[in-house]
Amino acid sequence: MKENRRDRDSEGRARNARPRDGLGRPLPYGASGVERQPEGVIRTPEETLREAQRLLDAGKPFHAHEVFEDAWKSGPDSERALWRGMAQLAVGLTHAARGNTAGGARLLLRGAGGIAAYGTGSGPHGLDVAGLVAWARELAGRVESGGPVDAADEAPRLA
């Protein structure tokens, strides 16, 4: 019988401990990678946006998506779709920067659709909902017809 060698956390849950690059791609064990975002951190919406913007500006949209995912999982039910949409925008940018143009465009459009219901201007927590929807739709169009993008150069302004 084969032994199961999956990475586990201290509570026995499966966790991939491989290092990752700035776009979240797994690297070989022992390689030098980018520090990962801790999972399950509960932040205020303002802290979430500040940390996600820092990561986006640094060209790390995969890591920003993890910050939004924490907000999605821990926030109020009334904002779940907002934070899920924000996570989809970040992971859409991640896929586009990795060269997965079809998946990147699809996730950017899905994220834009998810946050559009939160307003036509400034949305909850000072989010520039209209600007983010326009950014995502424009980038999705460019991504579908071209190659990969530079994640840091394409980082949106959240507020």
Side-chain angles (χ1 to χ4, degrees):
M1 201 158 97
K2 223 177 183 183
E3 183 181 339
N4 185 350
R5 294 187 180 256
R6 293 179 71 187
D7 298 327
R8 303 272 175 189
D9 67 12
S10 61
E11 296 173 3
R13 289 186 302 252
R15 297 279 187 237
N16 189 331
R18 287 174 62 184
R20 295 186 176 264
D21 71 5
L23 291 174
R25 292 175 289 220
L27 299 170
Y29 286 103
S32 177
V34 172
E35 185 174 340
R36 295 180 71 167
Q37 283 298 115
E39 292 182 39
V41 176
I42 297 175
R43 300 173 180 88
T44 66
E46 293 74 22
E47 291 168 333
T48 294
L49 293 174
R50 190 171 35 255
E51 179 64 4
Q53 187 70 69
R54 182 186 73 76
L55 292 163
L56 288 166
D57 291 345
K60 299 176 183 174
F62 176 82
H63 304 278
H65 125 271
E66 292 179 330
V67 171
F68 288 132
E69 195 171 87
D70 284 341
W72 161 18
K73 291 178 179 178
S74 68
D77 287 343
S78 62
E79 293 184 357
R80 279 180 123 63
L82 172 70
W83 297 117
R84 182 178 55 240
M86 294 301 295
Q88 288 169 332
L89 292 178
V91 83
L93 179 55
T94 300
H95 281 280
R98 289 177 177 176
N100 176 2
T101 55
R106 190 170 34 254
L107 282 160
L108 286 163
L109 293 174
R110 189 178 302 153
I115 69 169
Y118 286 88
T120 57
S122 182
H125 314 295
L127 269 172
D128 180 8
V129 173
L132 287 165
V133 168
W135 165 83
R137 290 178 177 159
E138 189 273 332
L139 182 58
R142 280 192 292 123
V143 165
E144 283 181 318
S145 62
V149 300
D150 182 281
D153 288 344
E154 296 292 346
R157 300 304 313 158
L158 302 177

